[in-house]
Amino acid sequence: MNLKAIIYLIFFFQSIICFGQFKHPEPTIVRPTVILPENDINDYSKLYNKKIKKKIIGKTIIEFDINGNVISEINSDSNSTTTILCRYINNILVEKEKRTTIDTKNIEKRVLDNSNYIKENEKKGEKITVVTDYNYNNEFEFYKAILDKKKNRVTSYLIEKKEGDTKTSLKKYNIFYNQDKLIEISEDNGEKKQYFYKNNLIDKIEYFDSNDKRKTNSITYFIYDLNSNLTVIKGIRKTIYNDKISENKFIKDSAVYDNKNNIVWAYNVNDYLAANQNQKNHYITYKYNDNNKIIESTKFENGIEMIKSSYSYENNLLKEIKQIHKGDYILTKNYKYIDGKLVEFTELDPFLNLEKRCVYDYDESTNLKSITEFRKYTDRKSGKITDVKTSTFFSFDNNTLTIKNQNGIIEKYEFFD
């Protein structure tokens, strides 16, 4: 397992995270993970060794091209329908259109029903306040990229947005390169990011933004070890607002690696922890076997051991997980396989007083046929035991997988030949 800091793709400005499509390299520290077999079996493209062409889950329909890119998506609920259409050139997204159309009649009916409900209860002498949100608007978003086809890269793109009757907003971004390296992304209003490299690795990223009242300048630095593993992400942010200057230094992330480039220590990033808190008190440690598989991870907060997870393997397959939670209780999972296929896993969770067993059944073609789950709950106070059994059925035929649970809820996946 080589856990070098990899360059991966993330979104640019915060204002376009939900819709902007141009992606750019930014170093990040990638934590090691253990893939749980019960989750891995939900990767149907891998399960059938095919590429997904279409999936239908409830009122959501998503279509893909042969490269796995989304080309269309329709998502409907009782209030609106959202449609997304995408177009690619050389496997790069060059256009994306998103339209959300509200169901005015249905929303008006729900508002009226809500009002009548309140009035009826007021007549009975009951004062009821029902908090609802029916503030829906038609929305339109459009992304378009200009592509340098010779070098197969985006040189500029624009984002157009409109909500309800508001004026359409339009932003254009320009991308600059030095040979094959991206060095700047800038918006027409002066907002920009600049990239600086050292030894072919990103050394720092500088961000500028300014308007009539506020000016922001932040620099993020990236530090590597001798094996080019990313060890520290730190920076400084300077803001001038109404002639007042504020400055903030931060450490965003950090890690330590062994001589096999595996992470053995990493800062425990938590949303509820301030960025400038002492990282030495919030961290996770990792241990590995000779095959570079994780055999132990321990999470610490405020220097206190919170969760210790141990993993054991058999024939390179995960056999058992044991999690000790702050010394209070131990959660365990056990896995059984036949010819490398998961046939059963059990889970014992003392915190929830839950015992769970899942049985996986396959047909003669070794395709998954059903998953049956048995749950046993024990009430802490009364000692009452509740047994629940649920089943999910899989049917694969003519490049189509149909999944149906015992309540009749259906998922459908179509695959390319």
Side-chain angles (χ1 to χ4, degrees):
M1 182 189 300
N2 189 335
L3 292 172
K4 283 189 177 182
I6 64 172
I7 303 298
Y8 87 126
L9 303 177
I10 64 173
F11 291 127
F12 180 32
F13 298 126
Q14 183 67 29
S15 62
I16 60 170
I17 282 179
C18 295
F19 193 73
Q21 300 304 314
F22 176 77
K23 300 176 182 180
H24 66 110
E26 186 163 324
T28 184
I29 295 173
V30 181
R31 268 88 175 144
T33 58
V34 175
I35 298 175
L36 301 181
E38 68 270 28
N39 295 335
D40 195 37
I41 210 165
N42 291 327
D43 186 350
Y44 303 118
S45 59
K46 185 168 68 175
L47 193 64
Y48 294 92
N49 195 29
K50 292 178 176 291
K51 295 182 178 181
I52 294 177
K53 184 177 182 180
K54 178 191 289 187
K55 64 180 178 181
I56 303 171
I57 304 176
K59 293 184 178 181
T60 299
I61 303 172
I62 305 175
E63 294 187 66
F64 304 84
D65 65 16
I66 192 67
N67 297 311
N69 300 310
V70 174
I71 56 176
S72 71
E73 180 175 344
I74 300 175
N75 200 329
S76 302
D77 58 29
S78 59
N79 297 312
S80 63
T81 297
T82 298
T83 302
I84 297 174
L85 299 174
C86 301
R87 186 171 72 87
Y88 303 83
I89 295 178
N90 297 334
N91 212 30
I92 295 177
L93 180 66
V94 293
E95 286 186 4
K96 179 178 179 181
E97 179 183 300
K98 177 180 177 183
R99 291 183 182 273
T100 300
T101 306
I102 64 171
D103 187 338
T104 306
K105 291 184 178 180
N106 185 64
I107 293 175
E108 289 176 348
K109 182 180 181 302
R110 292 180 65 181
V111 171
L112 180 61
D113 290 345
N114 181 59
S115 177
N116 291 335
Y117 176 76
I118 294 174
K119 290 178 181 178
E120 288 297 321
N121 283 278
E122 286 178 345
K123 289 179 182 179
K124 299 175 184 178
E126 300 176 10
K127 187 174 181 180
I128 292 182
T129 302
V130 180
V131 179
T132 55
D133 180 14
Y134 299 116
N135 185 26
Y136 292 91
N137 286 301
N138 291 329
E139 295 179 1
F140 172 78
E141 298 180 50
F142 183 70
Y143 164 87
K144 183 174 182 178
I146 304 300
L147 194 66
D148 180 347
K149 294 182 181 179
K150 291 183 179 180
K151 296 188 176 181
N152 204 38
R153 63 190 187 189
V154 177
T155 57
S156 67
Y157 63 93
L158 60 84
I159 300 289
E160 180 182 352
K161 291 186 179 183
K162 185 175 183 179
E163 181 176 351
D165 297 326
T166 60
K167 185 178 179 181
T168 300
S169 66
L170 187 65
K171 291 186 176 182
K172 182 181 179 182
Y173 299 86
N174 300 299
I175 299 101
F176 302 93
Y177 302 87
N178 181 5
Q179 296 181 350
D180 292 329
K181 291 185 176 64
L182 183 151
I183 59 171
E184 182 177 304
I185 305 175
S186 60
E187 205 247 318
D188 288 347
N189 67 359
E191 183 180 9
K192 65 181 177 180
K193 269 188 176 182
Q194 292 182 320
Y195 298 81
F196 301 86
Y197 300 81
K198 186 177 181 180
N199 298 326
N200 287 322
L201 297 170
I202 294 181
D203 180 53
K204 67 177 180 178
I205 298 176
E206 192 161 2
Y207 170 76
F208 304 89
D209 185 25
S210 64
N211 54 43
D212 294 338
K213 294 183 178 181
R214 183 192 299 271
K215 292 183 179 180
T216 302
N217 175 216
S218 65
I219 304 176
T220 303
Y221 299 93
F222 303 91
I223 300 173
Y224 307 85
D225 64 16
L226 294 177
N227 293 321
S228 299
N229 295 308
L230 182 57
T231 58
V232 179
I233 303 175
K234 65 178 182 178
I236 182 169
R237 183 181 296 107
K238 184 177 179 181
T239 302
I240 302 175
Y241 182 70
N242 289 338
D243 296 327
K244 293 183 179 180
I245 300 176
S246 63
E247 191 172 277
N248 177 39
K249 294 181 179 180
F250 61 90
I251 295 180
K252 185 177 180 181
D253 208 351
S254 58
V256 177
Y257 301 77
D258 63 14
N259 57 9
K260 294 183 178 180
N261 298 318
N262 293 317
I263 291 180
V264 294
W265 182 98
Y267 171 43
N268 180 25
V269 180
N270 284 292
D271 292 336
Y272 63 87
L273 293 176
N276 58 357
Q277 284 199 23
N278 188 352
Q279 295 185 44
K280 293 182 179 179
N281 291 330
H282 307 283
Y283 58 93
I284 304 175
T285 61
Y286 302 92
K287 294 181 180 179
Y288 305 83
N289 62 16
D290 292 338
N291 294 321
N292 291 326
K293 286 184 174 292
I294 298 174
I295 58 173
E296 183 180 289
S297 64
T298 308
K299 177 181 177 182
F300 294 84
E301 290 184 8
N302 292 315
I304 299 173
E305 182 179 301
M306 301 297 290
I307 302 175
K308 175 177 278 188
S309 302
S310 59
Y311 307 88
S312 60
Y313 302 85
E314 187 176 281
N315 298 325
N316 230 22
L317 296 171
L318 185 62
K319 184 69 175 177
E320 182 185 62
I321 300 175
K322 183 180 292 185
Q323 287 186 341
I324 303 175
H325 290 249
K326 205 179 177 180
D328 295 332
Y329 70 97
I330 301 175
L331 182 149
T332 57
K333 285 186 177 185
N334 288 276
Y335 300 90
K336 293 182 180 179
Y337 306 86
I338 293 180
D339 296 329
K341 286 187 173 292
L342 179 66
V343 295
E344 179 179 299
F345 95 87
T346 57
E347 179 179 337
L348 179 62
D349 189 340
F351 182 76
L352 298 177
N353 274 352
L354 167 67
E355 295 178 45
K356 182 168 73 173
R357 183 169 72 96
C358 285
V359 178
Y360 299 80
D361 188 25
Y362 301 85
D363 62 21
E364 62 278 2
S365 301
T366 70
N367 291 324
L368 185 61
K369 187 167 65 174
S370 67
I371 301 176
T372 304
E373 182 177 291
F374 304 88
R375 288 176 176 259
K376 181 179 179 180
Y377 301 91
T378 303
D379 186 89
R380 293 184 185 276
K381 293 183 179 180
S382 65
K384 179 183 177 181
I385 297 175
T386 303
D387 290 303
V388 179
K389 175 185 175 182
T390 58
S391 297
T392 303
F393 304 95
F394 298 76
S395 176
F396 180 73
D397 181 54
N398 195 27
N399 278 333
T400 300
L401 170 66
T402 303
I403 305 173
K404 182 185 294 186
N405 65 19
Q406 60 191 30
N407 297 320
I409 298 176
I410 293 177
E411 295 182 24
K412 185 175 287 188
Y413 297 81
E414 296 179 12
F415 301 93
F416 287 97
D417 292 328

